[in-house]
Amino acid sequence: MAKRFIDTDLFKKPFMRSLEAPYKALWLYLLCECDHAGIWTVEMDIAQIRMGMKLDPEKAIEKLGGAAVPIDGGKKWYLPDFVEFQYGTLNAENRVHASVLALLSKNGIDPENKPLVSPLEGAKDKDKDKDIQERKEREPNLEWPTWAGP
């Protein structure tokens, strides 16, 4: 049985508060069912049986707003912030981290360059992003997920 860290403030976050109940349950299911690299092999039929509710995978991706990103033609979903929250900065010298890096690489994911939520996001204010990054480097990373949600 794998053990996972979970943010005890998860339900206080705007992302979680914005989700309808079935998608909150799905998010928790994904956190428990993904592999240790944050990749879930999409088995929506099994998820629906285990959770006892009907879910539309396309609507789920839309509702999760980038917290889950389809990869491998939609056969798998990647949770971009999972690895950072569970392990922090990955170090190839660490056996667990090396395994995570291998899984990410196998699935065509560069942990340094997370997939974009949408190519329609447009240009970002790089000065603002730089200020945010510098503030994050000064402060301990105690929150997860790091995105604010949709």
Side-chain angles (χ1 to χ4, degrees):
M1 171 178 61
K3 298 190 189 292
R4 305 277 164 88
F5 293 115
I6 189 161
D7 183 353
T8 57
D9 287 334
L10 181 63
F11 287 92
K12 296 176 184 174
K13 296 188 181 297
F15 163 73
M16 198 64 158
R17 289 193 323 254
S18 72
L19 292 175
E20 298 167 20
Y23 299 99
K24 287 179 184 180
L26 177 62
W27 178 244
L28 292 173
Y29 179 83
L30 292 176
L31 293 177
C32 293
E33 289 296 314
C34 68
D35 67 17
H36 65 287
I39 298 170
W40 178 60
T41 301
V42 177
E43 297 178 315
M44 195 58 77
D45 55 336
I46 303 298
Q48 291 177 117
I49 290 168
R50 289 179 176 167
M51 293 173 36
M53 60 183 71
K54 294 276 186 198
L55 295 167
D56 175 7
E58 291 163 8
K59 187 175 178 184
I61 287 293
E62 177 187 324
K63 294 284 186 181
L64 293 173
V69 178
I71 59 172
D72 194 18
K75 295 177 190 169
K76 298 177 183 179
W77 291 358
Y78 172 56
L79 312 180
D81 292 321
F82 179 85
V83 170
E84 184 178 344
F85 181 76
Q86 295 297 320
Y87 309 106
T89 303
L90 293 176
N91 175 357
E93 301 297 318
N94 180 308
R95 287 177 41 206
V96 173
H97 293 192
S99 173
V100 170
L101 287 166
L103 278 171
L104 293 174
S105 177
K106 177 182 173 186
N107 285 282
I109 300 166
D110 179 0
E112 298 298 319
N113 297 315
K114 297 177 187 171
L116 290 175
V117 173
S118 165
L120 303 175
E121 284 185 0
K124 295 190 177 205
D125 182 352
K126 291 188 180 207
D127 289 336
K128 181 179 177 184
D129 290 348
K130 185 178 177 183
D131 292 343
I132 291 170
Q133 182 61 33
E134 288 173 358
R135 188 176 71 232
K136 285 182 180 179
E137 288 172 1
R138 289 191 304 260
E139 298 174 356
N141 184 7
L142 300 177
E143 293 189 355
W144 182 76
T146 56
W147 32 260

